[in-house]
Amino acid sequence: MTDADTTTAAADWRAWQESWDRQQEWYMPDREERFRVMLDMVEALVGTAPRVLDLACGTGSITARLFDRFPDATSTGVDLDPALLAIAEGTFEGDERVSFVTADLKDPEWQAALPYDSYDAVLTATALHWLHREPLADLYGHIAGLVRDGGVFMNADHMIDDTTPRINAAERALRHARMDQAKRDGALDWAQWWQLAARDPVLAAPTARRFEIYGEHADGDTPSAAWHARVLREKGFGEARAVWCSPSDALLLALK
């Protein structure tokens, strides 16, 4: 491969990362704010050179921001999606600070493939709502076993309080009105982004495998932050609460 070919490939991975970020921001305009608070709490609780497990890492969005802020950090990205992992592996090719593992978080032995037995921080964002409550609670037990004493787990995701239906409906209506306007201005949604990936010469095959694994979209749960905090304490964490929230989402932090 020539130097020009290498540059082109690297530019393509950067473009896919940027495209993924823009698509996700169509759903979550405050996405970067939750990442900022997540890394603030990493620094506050485990320092600036943490060993991190990027859980359901996708394209490596958390890892990218982790390294930008903490160059001495290390990361293990774990996911099952072959297309998103292809983007992550292409983006971080040659970076010895990160490794990627293909694993199904619903497999009770998924952590056996990890390179380390414990982590300073396990971080995840906008992924675990693909799971229903029972498998999610089981996963939280496995995570508790991976986080060292004094370490943290953080989950930024959709967390809905069903006791406030009118507030929820009003927030959803406003959010979707803004999303509709952004769509008219050219924003890509989830389905359109995957259509582009399916037409890409490099991503077409892993995208096809991805839809064989997941289908169009999983039908999980979005329990409240209070539910997450309670279950995390039951599974072995000493403290757990939301450290950031929007009207529809929260960043839940659990301290071992």
Side-chain angles (χ1 to χ4, degrees), residues 36-46 152 154 243 253:
R36 182 190 66 78
V37 176
M38 177 182 284
L39 295 180
D40 280 350
M41 299 312 297
V42 167
E43 181 174 358
L45 290 163
V46 297
V152 298
M154 280 183 270
V243 293
L253 183 152

Side-chain angles (χ1 to χ4, degrees), residues 114-136:
L114 299 177
Y116 303 107
D117 293 331
S118 68
Y119 289 84
D120 301 310
V122 177
L123 309 176
T124 188
T126 327
L128 301 189
H129 65 274
W130 285 58
L131 299 175
H132 289 288
R133 282 172 171 80
E134 184 174 346
L136 180 55

Side-chain angles (χ1 to χ4, degrees), residues 123-180:
L123 309 176
T124 188
T126 327
L128 301 189
H129 65 274
W130 285 58
L131 299 175
H132 289 288
R133 282 172 171 80
E134 184 174 346
L136 180 55
D138 289 341
L139 177 63
Y140 280 170
H142 291 292
I143 292 169
L146 286 169
V147 175
R148 67 162 173 83
D149 287 347
V152 298
F153 166 66
M154 280 183 270
N155 177 17
D157 210 343
H158 312 312
M159 298 184 188
I160 306 300
D161 187 340
D162 291 331
T163 67
T164 58
R166 290 183 296 161
I167 295 172
N168 298 349
E171 181 279 327
R172 186 179 187 278
L174 178 61
R175 175 162 43 89
H176 278 263
R178 290 175 173 171
M179 290 169 69
D180 290 344

Side-chain angles (χ1 to χ4, degrees), residues 62-109:
I62 290 174
T63 293
R65 288 152 181 82
L66 177 77
F67 289 166
D68 283 346
R69 181 156 167 181
F70 308 128
D72 293 329
T74 58
S75 177
T76 304
V78 59
D79 208 303
L80 185 61
D81 189 313
L84 298 185
L85 277 174
I87 296 172
E89 290 167 349
T91 299
F92 295 97
E93 185 177 5
D95 193 331
E96 295 182 353
R97 298 172 297 176
V98 61
S99 60
F100 292 99
V101 172
T102 300
D104 185 349
L105 296 181
K106 291 183 286 187
D107 180 346
E109 302 300 322

Side-chain angles (χ1 to χ4, degrees), residues 6-20:
T6 302
T7 301
T8 299
D12 287 342
W13 294 127
R14 287 196 297 269
W16 278 112
Q17 286 283 2
E18 178 73 14
S19 176
W20 178 259

